[in-house]
Amino acid sequence: MSEAADLTDAVEPAVIDDARQLAVDAELVVVKAGTNSLTDDRSRLDDEKVNKLVEDVMDLRQAGKQVLLVSSGAVGAGKGLIGLTDETVEESQALSTVGQSQLMRRYTEGFERFDQTVAQILLTGHDLENPDRFTNFTNTVETLLEWDIVPIINENDAVATEELRIGDNDMLSSSVAIGIDADLLVTLTDVGGVYTGNPKRDPSAERIEAVGSNYTTVQEVVTESSRDAFGGIQTKVAGARSASEHGIPAIIAESTEDDVLAKITAKEAVGTLFVPINGDDDD
């Protein structure tokens, strides 16, 4: 039996099935898209990738679900437009302001094809930690959702120096999902989930289907295979785990997979599923 199968077998099939059903039944979904899911190899916004993401989100909307989109890509889009390849933190902050306007313009145009209105919300960690600010944020989100508007959330990189350095929109999306009591968190990235090795360098690496009681072992595998920080998989795993600890199923999947979000609503096995856990479910 393969390592991936051994790891997945540590999670009971009934638990996996129940988690997939929760994903199907989810009414409020947080979708996080990484920079590589939005830009080309020259760090420019890729119309085809942006349009695909929009179409995938609209699959959820047309299935009657409310969606919050947490989007990276502002700094990357700014770099592609200005032409910088190596920048200081201060320059990255300025680039984010250039890229964010381009990103929202593309999103607005993309969603307009479906007569779907979107809204922009920029956050820092302080907004989530401060009770008054967080209340204002949740009130705004609730109102937008009542109006059938898709909120598009990104870090406010222009002022969030510390967050910019660690680039943790993965944790931001998890914190948002937990804070608004979402029913599902989906992290879209440029790999097909969590693997037993780095799939970009190791052709024998296998996708791990589910994470739950096997988390400690999976975390060790990820730490070993991602020392070169491919795709930021460690923060994606940490974010998904955090959501699952709060009873929210989480999925890490490949943004380029056909109908990736529609497949989740059809209860298909997509990416790596983090099942909701209880305190006694750890290794």
Side-chain angles (χ1 to χ4, degrees), residues 133-147:
R133 291 186 181 187
F134 184 71
T135 296
N136 292 337
F137 163 68
T138 55
N139 287 342
T140 297
V141 167
E142 289 173 2
T143 301
L144 291 171
L145 294 177
E146 288 174 2
W147 292 345

Side-chain angles (χ1 to χ4, degrees), residues 12 16 33 47 73 82 113 132 138 167 177 191 201 215 243 259 263:
E12 294 183 6
I16 296 174
D47 286 340
I82 300 299
R113 294 183 295 129
D132 290 335
T138 55
V191 293
R201 299 176 186 238
Y215 174 71
D259 304 318
K263 287 177 179 176

Side-chain angles (χ1 to χ4, degrees), residues 234-253:
Q234 292 190 64
T235 59
K236 292 171 178 57
V237 168
R241 174 65 171 189
S242 181
S244 72
E245 288 175 338
H246 287 79
I248 302 170
I251 296 171
I252 298 174

Side-chain angles (χ1 to χ4, degrees), residues 57-267:
V57 168
M58 288 307 302
D59 283 340
L60 294 181
R61 291 287 297 127
Q62 290 163 358
K65 302 182 185 303
Q66 295 179 316
V67 182
L68 277 80
L69 176 59
V70 177
S71 174
S72 298
V75 175
K79 287 171 64 175
L81 193 65
I82 300 299
L84 290 181
T85 57
D86 186 21
E87 69 283 345
T88 65
V89 170
E90 291 78 11
E91 288 173 335
S92 291
Q93 289 176 297
L95 287 170
S96 75
T97 65
V98 175
Q100 185 66 31
S101 63
Q102 297 297 312
L103 188 61
M104 284 306 302
R105 180 171 66 86
R106 298 289 181 88
Y107 276 136
T108 299
E109 292 171 348
F111 279 103
E112 279 180 346
R113 294 183 295 129
F114 300 91
D115 293 323
Q116 175 66 61
T117 302
V118 298
Q120 172 183 266
I121 302 177
L122 297 178
L123 295 176
T124 68
H126 297 305
D127 297 319
L128 300 179
E129 296 163 2
N130 181 285
D132 290 335
R133 291 186 181 187
F134 184 71
T135 296
N136 292 337
F137 163 68
T138 55
N139 287 342
T140 297
V141 167
E142 289 173 2
T143 301
L144 291 171
L145 294 177
E146 288 174 2
W147 292 345
D148 284 329
I149 292 173
V150 173
I152 300 178
I153 300 169
N154 198 354
E155 278 192 300
N156 191 350
D157 291 330
V159 298
T161 305
E162 182 178 353
E163 289 85 351
L164 187 65
R165 286 186 178 127
I166 62 175
D168 79 352
N169 257 350
D170 296 312
M171 297 310 297
L172 175 63
S173 60
S174 177
S175 297
V176 167
I178 294 165
I180 66 170
D181 197 22
D183 303 309
L184 173 66
L185 169 64
V186 181
T187 299
L188 298 177
T189 183
D190 59 348
V191 293
V194 183
Y195 285 76
T196 56
N198 183 338
K200 294 182 176 180
R201 299 176 186 238
D202 181 3
S204 67
E206 298 176 303
R207 179 174 58 85
I208 301 167
E209 182 180 341
V211 178
S213 59
N214 58 354
Y215 174 71
T216 300
T217 305
V218 170
Q219 187 181 40
E220 291 171 355
V221 170
V222 168
T223 299
E224 177 65 26
S225 67
S226 60
R227 285 176 176 168
D228 57 352
F230 84 98
I233 192 65
Q234 292 190 64
T235 59
K236 292 171 178 57
V237 168
R241 174 65 171 189
S242 181
S244 72
E245 288 175 338
H246 287 79
I248 302 170
I251 296 171
I252 298 174
E254 191 166 17
S255 60
T256 56
E257 180 168 346
D258 290 341
D259 304 318
V260 59
L261 299 183
K263 287 177 179 176
I264 292 172
T265 64
K267 206 177 178 180

